[in-house]
Amino acid sequence: RGTMAPGSTTTTREATAMALLGLLCLQIGAANPLTTSRSISRPLSVRKASPYNLNRLSNGHMGPGQLDRDRDLRILATDSASEVQKTESRRSSKFGPIGKLYQRLFPSGSRKYEAKETVSKEYDAWADDGILQHYWGEHIHLGYYSPEDIKRGYKKKDFIAAKFEFIDKMVEWSGILDLPAGPKKVLDVGCGFGGTSRYLAKNYFQDGEVTGITISPNQIREATKYAKEQEVSNVKFELKDALNMDYPDNSFDVVWGLESGEHMPSKTKYVEEMTRVLKPGGVLVIGTWCQRDSPPIFTERENKELQFLYDEWAHPHFISINTYKKIMRATGKLEKVDSDDWNRYTLPSWRHSIWVGVYDPWIVFRKPWTWRKTLRDGICLERMHRAFDKGLMQYGMMKARKKAE
């Protein structure tokens, strides 16, 4: 097996597999590349709006979610004059011949964010078809790969074990275990199938209680079922909107958000709500996909690539790590705000996700109605890899403590 380190070239075997994936695109529905998964059947046109950057403030565009984006954007303490300089990113985006083939076949995303119901509908569909759980297990987040793992070859690491290691590393990095009294109440915002909630409850907070929330009823069903099967009694799951939680102020010792911020139309409201329900002295920790800082402004190619990444998996928009930090500081209630980019530890997860499907394709063959959707997801995984590898995207880790009142 070939190895793949961040920034290295694709191995012959991987290039062959990616080329075959491209050929499959030609055979399966290439005549109408804009039709979508069975859960959303309407065709989509290519969105012309540029992604989230300060240029949107001056062009008068007020598309879906623009008010939320602008609210996030006003947190920025940057000089708008420098933002609109006609500076091309040095990390311009040569995505290679295979990437160009993907972009030609699938020029726009198939699951455009329109409202929170878009997200819940997609996750309900994923829960029902079982493909995501089959490959990703109970954890809908990336895995952690140490430099040693990458040197040995990322495919030699157990794909699911990498996800458990990510949780362990996030706990360690966050400083949760350093809280004086020991956390008793933990909130997992955007819990998915509840894998992280159950793992935290069983391995770190045996004397406490973990609450997982999601807007997908089917995820609640699956998460509750797993908890019963695994006999994890100190965890519960509730159907709640992360931007409008009805918990009282100062309810939780730890608020944990792992790869849920991507789907939030207002990152500002996302941070504010998590801060509100966090107890004074408690820890807020977030892991989420981010786009790079701007300036330099995004090139036309980068704009198109970001727009595809927004629209393929129901993402309203991304923001940068530094913007998240500014939003956190702007609450006036958080201190010790810190961040890191874990792209170096998570990058292999994208292609590893593809390889587990290459090695075990039979569930897809048994469910032919999922072929097109699964193919698109595989393509999006590769385009995500390329976006992170080129520096267009970052893996943001943010943490803070809530100030004493």
Side-chain angles (χ1 to χ4, degrees), residues 48-68:
K48 295 182 179 180
S50 63
Y52 171 86
N53 58 53
L54 281 174
N55 295 336
R56 299 184 71 117
L57 290 180
S58 60
N59 66 10
H61 178 75
M62 292 293 288
Q66 183 62 40
L67 292 176
D68 289 323

Side-chain angles (χ1 to χ4, degrees), residues 64-128:
Q66 183 62 40
L67 292 176
D68 289 323
R69 298 185 190 194
D70 289 350
R71 185 165 181 245
D72 291 344
L73 218 139
R74 283 195 294 271
I75 298 295
L76 284 167
T78 56
D79 180 1
S80 60
S82 66
E83 173 65 29
V84 298
Q85 291 176 353
K86 295 189 179 298
T87 306
E88 289 290 318
S89 168
R90 293 183 180 179
R91 294 177 176 176
S92 184
S93 40
K94 293 183 179 178
F95 292 99
I98 296 173
K100 290 178 181 178
L101 175 62
Y102 295 160
Q103 291 167 326
R104 184 176 296 275
L105 291 171
F106 298 100
S108 70
S110 65
R111 285 160 277 195
K112 171 185 171 184
Y113 178 91
E114 293 176 345
K116 68 178 182 180
E117 289 76 19
T118 312
V119 179
S120 62
K121 186 174 182 180
E122 286 304 322
Y123 279 110
D124 280 347
W126 272 316
D128 284 342

Side-chain angles (χ1 to χ4, degrees), residues 98-168:
I98 296 173
K100 290 178 181 178
L101 175 62
Y102 295 160
Q103 291 167 326
R104 184 176 296 275
L105 291 171
F106 298 100
S108 70
S110 65
R111 285 160 277 195
K112 171 185 171 184
Y113 178 91
E114 293 176 345
K116 68 178 182 180
E117 289 76 19
T118 312
V119 179
S120 62
K121 186 174 182 180
E122 286 304 322
Y123 279 110
D124 280 347
W126 272 316
D128 284 342
D129 67 37
I131 301 292
L132 189 60
Q133 288 151 284
H134 179 79
Y135 290 123
W136 283 49
E138 305 169 31
H139 300 266
I140 316 175
H141 61 82
L142 301 186
Y144 185 97
Y145 299 79
S146 68
E148 293 75 21
D149 293 328
I150 296 171
K151 185 176 181 180
R152 284 193 301 266
Y154 67 85
K155 294 192 294 294
K156 295 181 180 179
K157 183 163 187 170
D158 183 271
F159 181 65
I160 302 300
K163 297 173 182 293
F164 287 116
E165 186 171 353
F166 187 102
I167 300 170
D168 292 331

Side-chain angles (χ1 to χ4, degrees), residues 170-194:
M170 187 168 171
V171 168
E172 178 184 343
W173 182 80
S174 69
I176 289 171
L177 301 183
D178 297 330
L179 291 174
K184 298 299 181 184
K185 295 189 67 178
V186 178
L187 179 65
D188 181 6
V189 178
C191 64
F193 298 124

Side-chain angles (χ1 to χ4, degrees), residues 242-279:
L243 302 188
N244 189 26
M245 294 183 279
D246 56 5
Y247 300 120
D249 296 355
N250 308 325
S251 294
F252 297 94
D253 301 297
V254 174
V255 178
W256 173 289
L258 177 52
E259 296 188 14
S260 57
E262 296 86 342
H263 292 296
M264 303 299 166
S266 173
K267 316 305 184 190
T268 302
K269 183 65 174 174
Y270 174 60
V271 172
E272 288 174 348
E273 268 293 273
M274 292 194 290
T275 302
R276 181 185 66 79
V277 300
L278 183 65
K279 292 180 181 179

